[in-house]
Amino acid sequence: MNREIIKLLSVFACFLASVQYASSQNHDEYEAYTSAAREQSMLFRGRQATSYAHLHYNGTYFWQGPDFKEGTVMYNGKLYTGIQMNIDASEHQLLVRYASGMPSVIVSRDYVTYFTIGTDRFINASALGLSDDKACLMQVLSDGEHKVYYRVLKVFSSSSNNVNGSMIGYSDPNYNEGYTKFFHLREQYYTEENGALKKISRRKAFKLMAYGK
């Protein structure tokens, strides 16, 4: 009988040890998660992104489209990864959100030096001292000896004519002829010269990218 009791006590002791270990492990994981969340919260302290929901317009104010993509951002000297991001190309602001369906907020642009969205790489030319223009988020098309940068501006415009396609700068599959307002695409290309940006033509940009000259 004593042997059975001793055996049961041994099993119970092992069970308690495993529960304590699991509890400690869960606590450590929770602490790691909350610590990471606190660190990432620095990115989400900006004001809520501008809403255009009250306007009737064609096109999009986003750099490419409304889908947020995962990327990285160098913010205030720290690299943040796995962040859902997009660019408001009308206000030239970097937008981030916690998860799909959550409201997006504006990242303080003065603290952003570079970032990636999906496979695309971007710089903040103003924060890097290449330009005095605050609206200077640029995609890196070539990062070799001859750098090439691409800037997108979405200018809120109006016209009573159908401007879809070449007039708006891109094709809106959901174009509504009843709307007179639209976001007009303006594309600009730059290279670096003597530590500053130099505006170049599209043809020159593609030549530098192809031949490095």
Side-chain angles (χ1 to χ4, degrees):
M1 185 70 178
N2 289 338
R3 290 181 179 178
E4 291 298 323
I5 293 174
I6 292 172
K7 185 182 294 185
L8 285 172
L9 288 175
S10 298
V11 171
F12 183 65
C14 290
F15 172 74
L16 282 179
S18 65
V19 168
Q20 289 174 348
Y21 173 77
S23 177
S24 174
Q25 189 176 37
N26 289 338
H27 176 74
D28 291 343
E29 290 175 354
Y30 175 77
E31 284 295 317
Y33 172 79
T34 54
S35 176
R38 283 194 298 270
E39 289 183 1
Q40 287 196 346
S41 70
M42 294 292 293
L43 288 175
F44 299 90
R45 292 184 177 181
R47 66 177 174 86
Q48 189 167 330
T50 299
S51 173
Y52 302 90
H54 62 290
L55 302 174
H56 296 295
Y57 61 87
N58 287 304
T60 178
Y61 58 91
F62 288 112
W63 185 287
Q64 290 184 332
D67 293 337
F68 279 63
K69 297 180 181 179
E70 190 171 293
T72 63
V73 55
M74 179 61 76
Y75 178 80
N76 199 24
K78 179 177 176 60
L79 185 65
Y80 295 84
T81 62
I83 307 297
Q84 290 193 16
M85 300 189 293
N86 206 334
I87 299 173
D88 180 335
S90 178
E91 292 192 345
H92 248 241
Q93 299 285 3
L94 177 62
L95 309 180
V96 296
R97 68 183 185 187
Y98 276 112
S100 179
M102 297 290 288
S104 56
V105 298
I106 294 173
V107 178
S108 181
R109 190 173 48 205
D110 291 342
Y111 297 100
V112 175
T113 49
Y114 64 85
F115 57 98
T116 65
I117 298 180
T119 58
D120 296 328
R121 296 181 296 134
F122 298 84
I123 63 166
N124 180 358
S126 178
L128 292 171
L130 297 174
S131 173
D132 295 329
D133 187 352
K134 290 295 184 182
C136 233
L137 300 181
M138 296 187 170
Q139 185 178 350
V140 181
L141 298 183
S142 177
D143 198 25
E145 180 181 354
H146 300 282
K147 295 177 172 56
V148 178
Y149 303 117
Y150 172 60
R151 178 163 75 162
V152 165
L153 299 171
K154 293 290 183 68
V155 183
F156 197 52
S157 309
S158 64
S159 174
S160 57
N161 298 320
N162 185 328
V163 295
N164 197 25
S166 59
M167 293 294 291
I168 193 176
Y170 53 101
S171 179
D172 178 1
N174 300 311
Y175 192 89
N176 188 328
E177 292 189 24
Y179 299 160
T180 59
K181 302 291 186 180
F182 62 95
F183 285 96
H184 178 218
L185 170 65
R186 292 183 183 173
E187 300 174 293
Q188 298 172 341
Y189 296 87
Y190 294 84
T191 189
E192 279 187 45
E193 191 172 279
N194 299 322
L197 291 177
K198 178 184 178 182
K199 193 174 180 179
I200 57 177
S201 66
R202 176 187 174 94
R203 180 179 178 183
K204 177 69 173 179
F206 278 79
K207 182 178 179 182
L208 289 176
M209 292 167 59
Y211 303 109
K213 297 180 180 180

